[in-house]
Amino acid sequence: MIELTIRDDVAHVVLNAPDKLNALDPAALAELDAAYEAAETAGVRALVLRGEGRAFCAGRDIAGVDPRRDDVMGFLGGLVTPLLRRMSAFPAPTFAVAHGACLGVGLGLLIATDVVYVADTAKIGSPFANLGATLDSGGHALFVERLGAHRTLDLIYSGRLMSGAEAVAAGLFSQVFPADAVRAATEEAAARAATGATQAFLASKELVRALRDDRLGLWESVAAENRAQAALCATNDYREGFAAFQEKRRPVFTGRD
């Protein structure tokens, strides 16, 4: 179900089970984890995640699951959460193409990605009102942070799904595009990032994660920025960026040191 290709320092990870809207079972989660591990081992400088067919990912594949014997903690805590942690900590800029259904675990995959470009036809929210289940995979944290408590609970209680345009306007994700343009826009952004100063990007990624997780206040974040900048001074990319600016030319970054 999961396909991985690497071109020009960019990993392309594809959820390829369009007949079931790319819903994920334990085997698919293991494949996805392995794809991220392989991309990290290859030393790529950017990664794009997308889904084939009409949807990005409709969430967990519950076909054949007996709710009386369902090991929910094993599925979410044992499989999904470790994968989301790996995705969030991936050592390069990551991008996702969100289109169609982006629900449940599928929404979690987007939350664990650095930059998400959304099709205007995307459907984002909590579809669990009629399932007797609750939003998972980080959805509560994202919604409360961006929407506030009242709008979050309204979405959960009603089961209403936001369009891509509404989700971007609410600050959930980065940019919205027509459905036929979102993939190209995402891949272009990843290609640009793959030619950039990767170590500098990773320094910002860590700072953003620390701020998001409330591990840093204002002055702690300023101190962390100072430390990051000092460390970057020792890299070839830092020196190349300065030299290119002074010589009025385009920098050529290696992204590796």
Side-chain angles (χ1 to χ4, degrees):
M1 172 186 177
I2 309 300
E3 298 176 354
L4 168 66
T5 58
I6 297 175
R7 301 188 301 273
D8 299 324
D9 276 335
V10 179
H12 297 261
V13 180
V14 181
L15 312 180
N16 192 8
D19 56 319
K20 57 180 184 179
L21 301 182
N22 299 316
L24 299 165
D25 60 14
L29 289 170
E31 288 182 35
L32 188 55
D33 186 84
Y36 272 73
E37 182 177 12
E40 180 174 345
T41 300
V44 300
R45 295 172 64 188
L47 181 148
V48 176
L49 174 66
R50 66 177 182 86
E52 283 286 359
R54 295 184 293 114
F56 169 68
C57 177
R60 182 186 182 187
D61 184 1
I62 60 173
V65 174
D66 183 346
R68 296 167 298 181
R69 298 178 175 83
D70 185 16
D71 181 9
V72 174
M73 183 57 72
F75 181 80
L76 291 175
L79 299 176
V80 175
T81 300
L83 171 62
L84 298 181
R85 285 184 174 275
R86 175 189 286 281
M87 293 173 62
S88 181
F90 190 79
T94 59
F95 300 79
V97 182
H99 78 290
C102 307
L103 308 172
V105 178
L107 176 61
L109 300 184
L110 299 180
I111 295 170
T113 302
D114 297 341
V115 177
V116 179
Y117 287 174
V118 185
D120 51 8
T121 55
K123 298 297 181 184
I124 296 164
S126 174
F128 301 115
N130 294 322
L131 292 178
T134 190
L135 186 60
D136 55 48
S137 304
H140 285 88
L142 176 70
F143 286 178
V144 170
E145 176 188 352
R146 308 294 171 81
L147 305 177
H150 292 88
R151 292 175 69 190
T152 295
L153 290 175
D154 183 26
L155 284 172
I156 290 172
Y157 294 168
S158 68
R160 185 179 70 82
L161 301 180
M162 292 182 286
S163 69
E166 184 181 358
V168 169
L172 294 178
F173 298 117
S174 303
Q175 296 187 55
V176 63
F177 294 88
D180 60 358
V182 64
R183 175 181 170 184
T186 309
E187 292 181 346
E188 288 170 8
R192 286 193 300 271
T195 64
T198 306
Q199 298 307 311
F201 292 158
L202 293 181
S204 287
K205 181 170 179 171
E206 175 55 30
L207 282 163
V208 168
R209 290 176 63 204
L211 286 162
R212 179 198 63 195
D213 298 342
D214 292 327
R215 288 184 278 127
L216 295 176
L218 171 60
W219 297 114
E220 291 86 356
S221 71
V222 170
E225 289 168 344
N226 296 344
R227 291 191 296 272
Q229 200 74 288
L232 290 168
C233 282
T235 66
N236 289 330
D237 279 349
Y238 187 95
R239 291 188 285 269
E240 165 64 8
F242 265 69
F245 180 83
Q246 291 165 343
E247 296 164 11
K248 297 181 173 55
R249 60 175 174 79
R250 185 180 181 85
V252 179
F253 295 122
T254 66
R256 305 190 192 282
D257 54 16

